[in-house]
Amino acid sequence: MTPLERIIREVIESEGPIPVSRYMALCLSHPEHGYYITGDPLGTDGDFTTAPEISQLFGELVGAWLVKAWHDLGRPSPVALVELGPGRGTLMADIWRVAKTDRAFAEATAIHLVETSPALRERQIETLGKLGARPTHHNDLLSLPEHAMLFVANEFFDALPVNQFQKLGDQWSERKIGFNGEGRFTFGLDRAASRLPKPVVGEVPNGAILEHSPAQDSMIMELAYQLREHGGAGLIIDYGSLEPGTGDTLQAIREHQRANVLDQAGEADLTTHVDFAHLASIAQAAGMPSIGGATQGDFLLRLGLLERAGQLGAAKPTDQQRAISMAVERIAGDAAMGQLFKVLGMASHPIPMDGLETGLWDR
Ligand code: SAH
């Protein structure tokens, strides 16, 4: 039994079966044993690899989008360049390398990182320090400066805890986690907890599972609120769906392999697919005038991924050119991240949503 498994068992013993979000929060963010607290999960030696870790082209194009949005917004100054869940700092470094070539932008900007992991904070300071940038760290959005903001969140929303509800017959019940006679964690249904916190769209088959994340809801509400108050724009990038739907998407990944969600608590990454239609509806309700969405592949290609890859590969030896094409295929190809990952963009004023389709979620 891992130390965290023992702690979760004690919580269940005293409180009864716990919501899935409680289990996820303990596994990922327990102050001592949480997955994101104890180490660096990224890269080939770690548990998973993200788009910015595959190619600098990803961050460069995101950076170009953010700088363009800043100009379209009328160059607000000062402006906070914010990343949520920056991992090793690679994405922000690639963004900053592009962004600081725009002198006016660089002068107006300070970098702010929302990160809870002490180990990753160190790493981010080191990565950005090499570019002469000094980021300010935050535990959450509440301490961000009260002025215009440009933000990006890549593979951040998928790590925020979700609850699950299951439909049996006409009734929805909440899925909870307890343990069985052998002391192993198991899923069960709490029939008393049947109020659905979000709308279901279309026909739902018997046995279907609906996921809802209160943490994602408050995160997007807070982002939209800050943009509305102080102006700005941002991008949320993650695996997930542009259409609403049902399904159990909770998964555990360890050393690049699928693992059992209920095994080895705190030692595997736990994520879910993000419901972008739901996030967009919250941003809309919060009064964001510009909202757009696309697959990651379409977004990157429309922003000039192939042209930029060509420039990067020009005058390089063939093996490096081949490595660049392979990276392009991984971040934008249909069989890799291109279709599975989606992008949601939003802005506080009516500005072009470059690379994204607007009107996707208009009612
Ligand atoms: N964006 C990076 C890393 C994604 S991994 C990339 O694309 O490579 C998820 C990141 O979110 C990690 O940095 C992790 O420590 C951070 N994180 C996870 N949950 C968090 C929370 N609740 N608050 C702040 N940061 C969190």
Side-chain angles (χ1 to χ4, degrees):
M1 210 188 293
T2 66
L4 193 57
E5 279 172 330
R6 193 162 298 122
I7 291 166
I8 296 172
R9 254 184 82 145
E10 281 163 18
V11 171
I12 297 172
E13 269 164 5
S14 77
E15 297 175 15
I18 54 174
V20 176
S21 63
R22 186 86 200 279
Y23 178 80
M24 272 183 91
L26 286 165
C27 288
L28 296 178
S29 309
H30 182 276
E32 204 182 328
H33 306 290
Y35 177 77
Y36 280 114
I37 307 299
T38 50
D40 174 3
L42 284 125
T44 39
D45 314 332
D47 293 313
F48 59 93
T49 305
T50 59
E53 299 295 333
I54 295 169
S55 170
Q56 69 187 76
L57 294 166
F58 181 83
E60 289 173 1
L61 293 170
V62 167
W65 193 96
L66 295 171
V67 173
K68 165 77 165 32
W70 179 71
H71 283 277
D72 291 339
L73 287 164
R75 304 163 157 235
S77 177
V79 63
L81 179 57
V82 178
E83 185 176 354
L84 311 178
R88 292 175 166 179
T90 311
L91 173 56
M92 186 50 87
D94 293 333
I95 291 173
W96 189 240
R97 251 188 308 102
V98 167
K100 73 177 184 168
T101 63
D102 185 322
R103 280 282 287 284
F105 181 81
E107 274 163 25
T109 305
I111 297 177
H112 293 268
L113 305 176
V114 178
E115 174 62 72
T116 40
S117 153
L120 290 174
R121 280 187 177 200
E122 293 275 321
R123 191 79 194 250
Q124 292 151 16
I125 289 171
E126 191 187 305
T127 310
L128 288 165
K130 289 183 193 145
L131 296 174
R134 257 179 286 132
T136 306
H137 276 112
H138 303 263
N139 279 323
D140 51 45
L141 301 178
L142 300 176
S143 56
L144 288 175
E146 297 190 347
H147 54 240
M149 139 167 107
L150 295 162
F151 75 85
V152 62
N154 184 56
E155 294 214 36
F156 172 73
F157 274 72
D158 66 2
L160 298 177
V162 306
N163 287 318
Q164 292 188 326
F165 301 84
Q166 188 165 32
K167 187 184 177 193
L168 289 180
D170 289 338
Q171 209 203 331
W172 285 93
S173 303
E174 182 167 359
R175 247 180 142 202
K176 293 201 170 159
I177 294 170
F179 56 83
N180 63 17
E182 290 148 26
R184 292 180 73 91
F185 294 133
T186 52
F187 284 109
L189 286 180
D190 180 354
R191 289 172 189 276
S194 63
R195 262 194 58 228
L196 273 194
K198 96 179 189 194
V200 261
V201 179
E203 271 297 298
V204 179
N206 195 31
I209 286 178
L210 182 78
E211 292 174 338
H212 172 251
S213 170
Q216 287 182 19
D217 283 13
S218 19
M219 199 60 76
I220 185 106
M221 262 186 260
E222 183 62 29
L223 287 166
Y225 172 79
Q226 297 226 9
L227 292 192
R228 215 181 49 202
E229 285 296 293
H230 309 295
L235 295 170
I236 295 170
I237 308 166
D238 232 304
Y239 41 59
S241 168
L242 294 172
E243 288 100 44
T246 52
D248 173 12
T249 73
L250 179 62
Q251 61 174 24
I253 298 283
R254 191 174 185 193
E255 292 164 3
H256 299 266
Q257 303 283 322
R258 281 285 194 110
N260 188 321
V261 168
L262 299 180
D263 284 347
Q264 299 167 313
E267 283 166 26
D269 186 31
L270 293 180
T271 61
T272 59
H273 285 205
V274 174
D275 178 349
F276 282 93
H278 180 66
L279 295 186
S281 75
I282 293 177
Q284 247 165 358
M288 284 296 102
S290 298
I291 296 178
T295 64
Q296 176 169 304
D298 285 346
F299 177 70
L300 296 174
L301 291 168
R302 288 177 190 145
L303 293 183
L305 176 66
L306 299 181
E307 295 77 359
R308 185 67 198 105
Q311 283 166 10
L312 188 66
K316 295 242 167 79
T318 358
D319 60 329
Q320 282 184 38
Q321 286 177 345
R322 199 171 306 124
I324 293 168
S325 320
M326 276 168 62
V328 164
E329 198 50 44
R330 277 182 76 189
I331 62 174
D334 285 352
M337 300 175 106
Q339 284 286 338
L340 180 61
F341 280 69
K342 309 295 190 305
V343 183
L344 170 67
M346 63 175 97
S348 59
H349 293 80
I351 61 166
M353 290 278 99
D354 290 357
L356 301 171
E357 283 146 61
T358 52
L360 273 181
W361 299 290
D362 289 351
R363 269 158 283 181

